[in-house]
Amino acid sequence: MKKRYLAPFVLSALFFAACGGGSKSGEQAATSETEQPADNSMVSPNANKPMTKGQELMAQQDCKTCHKEEMKLVGPSFKDIAGKYPNTEENVDKLADKIIKGGSGNWGEVAMLPHSNISKDDAKEMVRYILSLSANQ
Ligand code: HEC
């Protein structure tokens, strides 16, 4: 018979335990919000691929504001450029000069801005990378 009197105490103990648990999980939710995984949406999906020297040099320049690998933007896509010019030393030389001096006429009226701060050797590395993107290679 004694147990009966204990029941209200047991129930209230459970009640407080439940409340305590409730507020605890609230705290956990608050802390997990600050532990969101890093936002990688701005990182290119190819970021883990090793970059060639030309690709690295281009990443430091403004090329990507006008060129994409697969799609025409302000300038032709790098795949289109690779399709137009065979990967010869002569073409590498000619296109490296074009990157440095800028100009228009080969793809349309829109001109590429000059890049007078880029050395000829660096420009050649970039062209070698661009021409390596040709679909037939
Ligand atoms: C302001 C926009 C712009 C920027 C920045 C730019 N380009 Fe261009 N690029 C163009 C345009 C427009 C053309 C097409 C020119 C033409 O019709 O002759 C072009 C053409 C080219 C060509 C082909 C040239 C030819 O005569 O066929 C190469 C190679 C090239 N760009 C590489 C680069 C590289 C490498 C960079 C970064 C260092 C770069 N571009 C930055 C707009 C740009």
Side-chain angles (χ1 to χ4, degrees):
M1 280 302 266
K2 250 190 174 179
K3 271 186 187 161
R4 265 190 139 201
Y5 297 105
L6 281 175
F9 295 107
V10 172
L11 281 178
S12 59
L14 280 176
F15 179 75
F16 283 118
C19 277
S23 73
K24 239 190 209 157
S25 69
E27 275 165 34
Q28 270 169 2
T31 47
S32 71
E33 247 171 59
T34 59
E35 287 165 22
Q36 293 278 325
D39 178 9
N40 286 329
S41 57
M42 297 297 284
V43 178
S44 101
N46 292 337
N48 293 333
K49 276 196 200 163
M51 284 206 260
T52 68
K53 184 153 183 250
Q55 207 176 356
E56 247 174 65
L57 290 166
M58 278 163 51
Q60 298 158 13
Q61 298 291 334
D62 60 354
C63 320
K64 54 192 166 303
T65 56
C66 296
H67 293 285
K68 275 187 157 235
E69 271 185 28
E70 314 252 350
M71 217 178 76
K72 184 183 182 303
L73 221 55
V74 180
S77 79
F78 288 143
K79 285 231 164 113
D80 284 347
I81 297 173
K84 180 169 167 137
Y85 301 99
N87 196 348
T88 64
E89 197 48 40
E90 200 193 332
N91 282 334
V92 170
D93 195 72
K94 196 172 70 179
L95 292 175
D97 275 340
K98 170 97 168 208
I99 292 170
I100 293 167
K101 292 186 186 135
S104 63
N106 287 339
W107 298 86
E109 296 303 308
V110 189
M112 171 153 61
L113 292 179
H115 297 85
S116 46
N117 58 329
I118 299 178
S119 76
K120 183 80 182 270
D121 282 345
D122 283 358
K124 279 182 166 183
E125 286 294 339
M126 296 178 199
V127 176
R128 284 199 186 96
Y129 165 68
I130 295 168
L131 296 188
S132 77
L133 296 170
S134 164
N136 351 311
Q137 280 179 27

